[in-house]
Amino acid sequence: IKVEVKRIVLLSCVRPLIEYGCEVWIPTPVQQRKLDKIQTDIIKLCMHLKSDNPSSDALLAEWGLKPMHKWLHERILMFHAKLSLMPGSRLPKQLFNAVWLKNGRAVVLPWQKHVASLLLKYGIDIAPGCEYTSCKSVIKRCVKSVWQEDLSLRLPLSKVSLHRYINWVNPKLLTTLSLKSPAQYLCVMPPSYGLEVMMRVRLSTLPVHAHTAHYSRHDGDAGNVPQSNVVVARGCPMCQHSEESLAHLLFDCPRTQALRTVMYDAICQVEGCDAKLAACLAISDPRRRVCRFVSDDFWGSVSELQYVVPSIAQYLAEAWSMRNQCKHNSGRTAGVVVLDAASEMGRGADGRNAMADG
């Protein structure tokens, strides 16, 4: 099933069930986080990422979706606009304008306070006499704008992959992020194992040893080794020498050189992509190189992606399968690489908010 079809099913069949009656909800922050988790868990299940823990912001950007609580805010504000613009003779409008008394004093209902806070948060003013359709457009635009601002404020707080992607590949991603379709690379080919691995590389949840070494820090207890100074990371299961990182898997491992040559040849056959490939491979920073290589914005339009993405996906599927076979069936452990703890270690497998951390 194509990713676009899965996304349509989520938006047209699943989300309405979750949102039913939300116009009169007053969700707490904890409840909003639980609702957001439902949506991200469904996306992870659709892309076979259930065991991974990627950044929610990066995952939603892949599918072109807002957090679930933002959809709820839209529904509440639209319901408020609909009531505000009703004729005064309608019973819902009379109830909406009614003054509610408690012990002889006028009170403001909790729902009214909640709506007033949302109107203030999103800077929306519903003037009498406006058309409901125009109000809907304004509400959608304001909610999207505030969400983009919140996202841009959160990104610099930590070295997340979405932040790196914006800095290294597409500085205008937040302003041009589409909420009408998934990322282009998910639409140019049918879903496959290679496409799922490519998405895990972009989200940096592919469990290469450079990432999973984070969990070996506690092994130093038995040997009286200061955990703050030493991190033990296993080497590449295929070549047994170098540290296994995303950059090593994609560009450097000698065991996958034949597969890599086939991928490079296929990319170079696409007009204009040979120069882009050479420019990407010339990048010295391995994390930046990985980020650009798996970026749909780097390679260009759909006409280029429909040839480049299948080539990368096929390589990743075959290389990752070969790697897992060597790891689990070789009967011996890979080499051990000792790293200083001060060097940056991406969490990767536990999803340190990353899209392409090499």
Side-chain angles (χ1 to χ4, degrees), residues 53-58 154-155 158-164 202-205 347-348 350-357:
N53 187 23
S55 160
S56 297
D57 292 332
R154 287 201 307 270
L155 287 179
S158 59
K159 295 182 178 180
V160 298
S161 67
L162 202 55
H163 187 206
R164 290 196 299 271
R202 287 169 59 95
L203 297 171
S204 193
T205 59
R347 294 178 65 180
D350 69 342
R352 189 191 59 123
N353 285 341
M355 183 177 286
D357 187 0

Side-chain angles (χ1 to χ4, degrees), residues 97-342:
N97 291 332
V99 177
W100 298 88
L101 302 177
K102 182 177 182 180
N103 298 328
R105 296 182 179 181
V107 296
V108 180
L109 300 180
W111 183 82
Q112 294 173 329
K113 294 180 181 179
H114 181 55
V115 172
S117 66
L118 292 181
L119 291 173
L120 181 62
K121 176 179 180 179
Y122 294 107
I124 298 174
D125 183 18
I126 301 175
C130 293
E131 293 289 337
Y132 177 63
T133 53
S134 62
C135 285
K136 285 180 62 177
S137 301
V138 170
I139 290 171
K140 289 182 178 180
R141 184 171 63 252
C142 291
V143 171
K144 180 180 179 181
S145 176
V146 172
W147 169 60
Q148 291 172 336
E149 291 176 3
D150 293 344
L151 192 59
S152 62
L153 290 175
R154 287 201 307 270
L155 287 179
L157 298 179
S158 59
K159 295 182 178 180
V160 298
S161 67
L162 202 55
H163 187 206
R164 290 196 299 271
Y165 191 86
I166 292 170
N167 287 340
W168 295 345
V169 181
N170 185 3
K172 299 181 180 180
L173 177 65
L174 288 181
T175 57
T176 60
L177 186 62
S178 173
L179 296 178
K180 297 181 179 180
S181 63
Q184 289 184 346
Y185 81 98
L186 293 173
C187 305
V188 298
M189 64 176 292
S192 63
Y193 176 66
L195 196 65
E196 294 167 5
V197 176
M198 184 175 177
M199 186 174 188
R200 296 174 77 185
V201 171
R202 287 169 59 95
L203 297 171
S204 193
T205 59
L206 198 67
V208 292
H209 286 153
H211 292 172
T212 56
H214 172 80
Y215 299 103
S216 65
R217 292 184 177 183
H218 297 287
D219 295 341
D221 292 338
N224 295 323
V225 179
Q227 296 180 29
S228 59
N229 295 330
V230 177
V231 176
V232 178
R234 292 189 178 275
C236 175
M238 291 186 285
C239 66
Q240 303 289 326
H241 298 295
S242 302
E243 177 193 3
E244 186 194 30
S245 63
L246 292 177
H248 177 79
L249 177 68
L250 274 170
F251 307 115
D252 301 327
C253 185
R255 290 288 299 275
T256 58
Q257 183 59 45
L259 300 175
R260 194 177 301 113
T261 301
V262 173
M263 175 181 63
Y264 288 166
D265 291 343
I267 293 175
C268 290
Q269 291 177 4
V270 183
E271 184 179 358
C273 288
D274 51 347
K276 294 180 181 179
L277 177 62
C280 180
L281 297 179
I283 298 174
S284 58
D285 185 348
R287 295 185 304 164
R288 189 185 296 254
R289 195 189 322 145
V290 171
C291 189
R292 282 184 173 269
F293 189 75
V294 296
S295 164
D296 45 3
D297 294 303
F298 174 73
W299 293 108
S301 63
V302 176
S303 59
E304 286 89 7
L305 290 176
Q306 64 182 348
Y307 298 104
V308 173
V309 171
S311 303
I312 299 175
Q314 182 178 358
Y315 168 80
L316 286 172
E318 295 177 353
W320 190 245
S321 298
M322 182 187 300
R323 178 261 189 198
N324 289 334
Q325 185 178 7
C326 291
K327 178 179 178 179
H328 299 296
N329 299 332
S330 64
R332 56 185 177 180
T333 59
V336 175
V337 181
V338 179
L339 301 175
D340 187 85

